[in-house]
């Protein structure tokens, strides 16, 4: 956001003309000839730069402003010349003269209405008045605030006032807030007893009596008691500068239902009114990272508040032992450098997105390795992760405390790192990756992209659930990657959600013929298990091999999550894995589903017409259908042809540029019902001719 103009710099600011002959010559301020004349004696000078221009559309609004607030700025005039001119001719102030003329025509003022002017008789000063838009003394900001208050009382809205005066609406709203202060506050402001910043601070008090008391004290010369305002502000407020915000963006917080309160004057940071929501988001994010270390046997404590009390038999690390030999010191220096690099990478990256999980994982591992190296390689058995404003997380490592007798005495019974378990270390081998299908997001907004990837995910769920062999490959490969290879740990980097979560929610109903079938199968298996009275392990162990494989396929399938909420969040690695899965199980979404009304409704008319062309069901009359009718028509044609958009297949096709890409999704500008007309050259088909009857559709 750019700099915001302060009230003292806006609203008909006028300047004193000065003559500066030379840099070393004192500035001379020329006095002004101020007068009040009759409106009937006032005309517009023909040399005015806009003399021949017709009145603009905002003149009536300016007239209403002058009716409400009066004349705030004098007109600059010269004496009339001859009988054909009025006694006073406006050099600067043409629009104000026209606005007064409207009031005169409406009978609200007469010829004797007083108008304040500056008279210029010197030709050079008359010429200057023609090129300077304002040549009067500056209006005090207190007068401006008072004028805004009078305008608002006369039923003029902030939007109208802003448009009339040519300033941003937020500036007028700020002045309106100041106009709501008690009169004594504006009096103190004009007298110089308080500053504009003090006046803005007064607006934060809801008690008008307290506002007046503080202003009266300032006007009396006792200073501005800002402490009285500060002590009224709620204590313990959570702002966007909170450490937890390093991993949670304002958009994520708002999407989870969090409320944000912003300061009208942009002087205080926005306040987060639901800190528990912020904590929940932060904890959920870090707990995903913690799962990886818990599978390695490291106890992980995640806290968004005070650090938990740790057992007495655990010793906090983070310091360097004085007993390290040269080789151990070299290891410590290397791990310290790696730790600093990892912290710098996290600090410089946007850690609010899932794509930063790998960066945070490296940070945690680097901190563990450095703390271990600092004490000769002792094993880390517990870590505490808490928020940090720079890198997003702070890591504190703990190791079992050593008895005093184990400490080296110089007699040859020193404690050696070789006696302990090997430390948790990270190796950053870049494994080979399959080609990831690309997606063309041009003309596709975030909502539509989310809908498309959502349906494509459900289609692959159904295909994988029907192919236990492919599901077995997926589960084994995923577990091997997570537990052994330690790659693609974040769910955003994989097509499956194992560790494990089921796709969808109660508020997000299943598509009946796709993932709905899978969920129904699992409900039936749950009922069978409950009737058996056995534990889950015993029950699964007694299943025939075929039933086990079918259950494995269903569980693996329901763990898939390839939904992409935004077009700028393409998950390339997950897409590559999805393409391989689709090829393994021969996924074809049209075996179970074709585009229905809920899927088609977010698409624009232009995109719906493109679908008809793609399925060869185009008709010249389709473009004339209303949006709802066109949606029904496309759904019917897709069902009759067993057709679905190629972009839902997860298939990889050759890229003209030399790579590989996913089949292009439907293109077109995003908009409402009138986002665009369909492509021309429709071919009338017998099926289309019958179905385009609105009654049939």
């Amino acid at each position: 956001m750019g700099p915001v103009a302060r009230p003292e710099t806006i609203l008909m600011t006028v300047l004193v003309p000065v003559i500066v002959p030379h840099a070393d010559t004192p500035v001379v301020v020329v006095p002004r000839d101020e007068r009040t004349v009759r409106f009937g004696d006032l005309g517009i000078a023909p040399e005015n730069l806009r003399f021949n221009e017709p009145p603009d559309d905002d003149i009536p609004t300016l007239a209403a402003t002058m009716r409400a607030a009066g004349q705030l700025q004098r007109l600059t005039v010269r004496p009339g010349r001859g009988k054909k001119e009025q006694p006073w001719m406006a050099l600067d102030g043409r629009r104000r003269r026209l606005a007064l003329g409207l009031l005169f025509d409406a009978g609200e003022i007469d010829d004797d209405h007083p108008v304040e002017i500056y008279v210029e008789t010197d030709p050079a000063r008359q010429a200057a008045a023609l090129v300077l838009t304002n040549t009067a003394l500056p209006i005090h900001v207190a007068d401006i605030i008072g004028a805004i208050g009078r305008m608002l009382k006369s039923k003029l809205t902030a939007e109208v006032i802003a448009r009339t005066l040519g300033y941003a609406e937020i500036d007028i709203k700020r002045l309106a807030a100041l106009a709501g202060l008690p009169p004594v506050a504006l009096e103190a402001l004009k007298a110089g007893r308080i500053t504009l910043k003090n006046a803005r601070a007064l607006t934060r008090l809801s008690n008008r009596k307290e506002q007046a008391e503080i202003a009266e004290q300032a006007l009396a010369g006792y200073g501005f008691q800002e402490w009285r305002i500060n002590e009224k502000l709620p204590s313990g407020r959570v702002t966007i500068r909170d450490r937890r915000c390093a991993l949670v963006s304002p958009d994520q917080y708002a999407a989870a239902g969090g409320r944000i309160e912003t300061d009208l004057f942009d002087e205080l940071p926005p306040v987060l009114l639901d800190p528990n929501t912020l904590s929940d988001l932060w904890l959920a994010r870090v707990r995903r990272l913690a799962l990886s270390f818990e599978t390695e046997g490291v106890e992980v404590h995640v806290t968004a508040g005070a650090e938990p009390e740790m057992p007495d038999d655990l010793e906090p690390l983070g310091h360097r032992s004085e007993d390290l030999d040269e080789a151990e010191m070299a290891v410590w220096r290397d791990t310290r450098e790696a730790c600093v690099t990892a912290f710098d990478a996290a600090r410089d990256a946007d850690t609010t997105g899932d794509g930063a999980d790998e960066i945070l994982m490296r940070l945690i591992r680097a901190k563990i390795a450095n703390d271990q190296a600092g004490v000769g390689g002792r094993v880390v058995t517990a870590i505490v992760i808490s928020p940090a404003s720079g890198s997003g997380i702070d890591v504190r490592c703990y190791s079992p405390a050593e008895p005093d007798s184990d400490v080296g005495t110089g007699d040859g019974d020193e404690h050696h790192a070789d006696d302990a378990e090997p430390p948790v270390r990270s190796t950053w081998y870049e494994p080979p990756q399959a080609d990831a299908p690309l997606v063309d997001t041009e003309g596709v907004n975030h909502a539509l992209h989310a809908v498309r990837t959502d349906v494509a995910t459900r289609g692959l769920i159904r295909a994988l659930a029907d192919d236990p062999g492919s599901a077995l490959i997926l589960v084994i490969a995923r577990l091997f990657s997570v537990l052994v290879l330690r790659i693609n740990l974040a769910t955003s980097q994989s097509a499956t959600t194992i560790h494990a979560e089921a796709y969808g929610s109660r508020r997000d109903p299943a598509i009946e013929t796709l993932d709905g079938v899978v969920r129904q199968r699992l409900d039936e298996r749950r009922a069978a298990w409950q009737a058996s009275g056995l534990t889950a392990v015993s029950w699964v162990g007694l299943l025939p091999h075929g039933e086990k494989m079918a259950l494995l396929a269903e569980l693996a399938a329901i763990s898939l999550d390839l939904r992409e909420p935004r077009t700028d969040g393409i998950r390339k690695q997950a897409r590559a894995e999805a393409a391989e899965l689709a090829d393994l199980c021969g996924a074809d979404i049209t075996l179970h589903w074709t585009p229905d009304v809920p899927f088609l409704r977010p698409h624009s008319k232009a995109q719906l017409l493109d679908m008809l062309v793609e399925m060869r069901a185009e008709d010249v009359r389709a473009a004339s259908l209303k949006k709802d009718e066109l949606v029904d028509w496309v759904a019917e044609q897709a069902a009759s042809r067993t057709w679905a958009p190629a972009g839902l297949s997860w298939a990889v096709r050759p890229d003209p540029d030399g790579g590989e890409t996913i089949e292009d999704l439907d293109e077109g500008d995003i908009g409402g019902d009138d986002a665009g007309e369909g492509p021309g050259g429709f071919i009338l088909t017998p099926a289309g001719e019958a179905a385009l009857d609105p009654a049939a559709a």
Side-chain angles (χ1 to χ4, degrees), residues 38-48 51 76-91 97 120 126 130:
R38 299 171 62 251
F39 168 73
D41 293 337
L42 185 63
I44 300 175
E47 59 265 40
N48 185 285
F51 178 80
T76 302
V77 306
R78 63 167 173 77
R81 300 165 183 166
K83 297 181 179 180
K84 293 183 179 181
E85 290 188 348
Q86 300 292 98
W88 309 106
M89 303 297 288
L91 300 168
R97 171 60 179 80
E120 298 290 1
Q126 291 177 5
L130 292 173

Side-chain angles (χ1 to χ4, degrees), residues 529-576:
W529 166 72
Q530 290 174 340
S532 70
L534 300 173
T535 66
V537 173
S538 299
W539 180 73
V540 172
L542 293 175
L543 289 176
H545 178 72
E547 287 295 304
K548 292 177 184 175
M549 296 298 292
L551 176 57
L552 173 62
E554 292 156 4
L555 292 172
I558 208 66
S559 74
L560 294 180
D561 185 357
L562 289 155
R563 193 174 190 270
E564 295 168 349
R566 299 172 61 89
T567 58
D568 55 3
I570 304 301
R571 300 160 55 194
K572 294 177 62 177
Q573 292 174 323
R575 282 180 165 269

Side-chain angles (χ1 to χ4, degrees), residues 275-582:
N276 290 338
T277 299
L278 178 64
S279 291
D280 291 343
L281 292 172
W282 188 90
L283 291 170
R285 174 80 183 283
V286 178
R287 280 169 182 156
R288 292 207 311 268
L289 305 177
L291 287 172
S292 300
F293 297 93
E294 289 174 347
T295 59
E296 299 173 356
V298 178
E299 183 181 350
V300 182
H301 300 267
V302 178
T303 175
E307 185 170 326
E309 291 188 10
M310 302 299 288
D312 293 338
D313 59 349
L314 289 181
E315 176 184 351
L317 304 183
H319 61 280
R320 179 173 62 83
S321 173
E322 300 296 331
D323 299 326
L324 300 182
D325 57 30
E326 280 190 31
E328 290 171 335
M329 279 295 296
V331 172
W332 178 79
R333 292 191 189 96
D334 291 342
T335 57
R336 182 183 60 176
E337 183 177 351
C339 190
V340 171
T341 301
F343 271 90
D344 289 343
R347 183 193 59 208
D348 297 337
D350 178 11
T351 52
T352 60
D354 290 342
D357 283 0
E358 194 70 27
I359 295 175
L360 297 174
M361 293 289 292
R362 292 183 182 182
L363 188 155
I364 297 173
R365 292 190 178 279
K367 183 64 165 63
I368 292 175
N370 184 235
D371 283 359
Q372 287 176 323
V375 290
R378 284 165 49 189
V379 65
V380 167
T381 60
I383 60 175
V384 175
I385 304 178
S386 57
S389 56
S391 57
I393 57 175
D394 182 59
V395 182
R396 191 171 179 85
C397 301
Y398 288 82
S399 178
E402 295 183 324
D404 292 340
S405 59
D406 289 342
V407 179
T409 62
D411 297 328
D413 58 347
E414 297 94 323
H415 172 77
H416 293 286
D418 294 338
D419 297 332
E421 298 181 22
V424 179
R425 300 195 185 275
S426 57
T427 56
W428 303 112
Y429 168 71
E430 293 295 337
Q433 296 288 342
D435 292 328
L438 302 177
V439 58
D440 185 2
T441 58
E442 183 177 356
V444 178
N445 63 9
H446 297 318
L448 179 55
H449 184 70
V451 169
R452 289 176 168 179
T453 53
D454 175 73
V455 173
T457 297
R458 298 176 190 276
L460 192 55
I461 286 174
R462 177 60 194 276
L464 191 62
D466 291 342
D467 191 333
S470 299
L472 182 63
I473 294 173
L474 167 66
V475 172
I476 295 176
R478 177 60 179 163
L479 292 177
F480 186 64
S481 298
V482 172
L483 301 179
V484 180
L485 302 182
R486 310 299 303 154
I487 61 174
N488 296 340
L489 297 175
T491 56
S492 63
Q493 297 173 328
S494 175
T496 178
T497 59
I498 297 176
H499 301 297
E501 297 175 5
Y503 184 74
S505 66
R506 296 180 182 273
R507 295 174 295 178
D508 185 18
I511 296 179
E512 183 177 354
T513 58
L514 297 179
D515 59 321
V517 172
V518 182
R519 296 177 190 278
Q520 178 62 32
R521 295 176 186 174
L522 291 173
D523 286 342
E524 293 171 356
R525 296 188 186 279
R526 183 188 301 110
W529 166 72
Q530 290 174 340
S532 70
L534 300 173
T535 66
V537 173
S538 299
W539 180 73
V540 172
L542 293 175
L543 289 176
H545 178 72
E547 287 295 304
K548 292 177 184 175
M549 296 298 292
L551 176 57
L552 173 62
E554 292 156 4
L555 292 172
I558 208 66
S559 74
L560 294 180
D561 185 357
L562 289 155
R563 193 174 190 270
E564 295 168 349
R566 299 172 61 89
T567 58
D568 55 3
I570 304 301
R571 300 160 55 194
K572 294 177 62 177
Q573 292 174 323
R575 282 180 165 269
E577 192 172 322
E580 292 181 303
L581 286 174

Side-chain angles (χ1 to χ4, degrees), residues 19-54:
I19 301 175
V20 186
H22 196 268
D24 55 6
T25 303
V27 175
V28 178
V29 179
V30 180
R32 308 298 301 276
D33 184 357
E34 301 179 4
R35 304 189 190 185
T36 301
V37 300
R38 299 171 62 251
F39 168 73
D41 293 337
L42 185 63
I44 300 175
E47 59 265 40
N48 185 285
L49 299 180
R50 297 181 179 85
F51 178 80
N52 292 321
E53 292 183 10

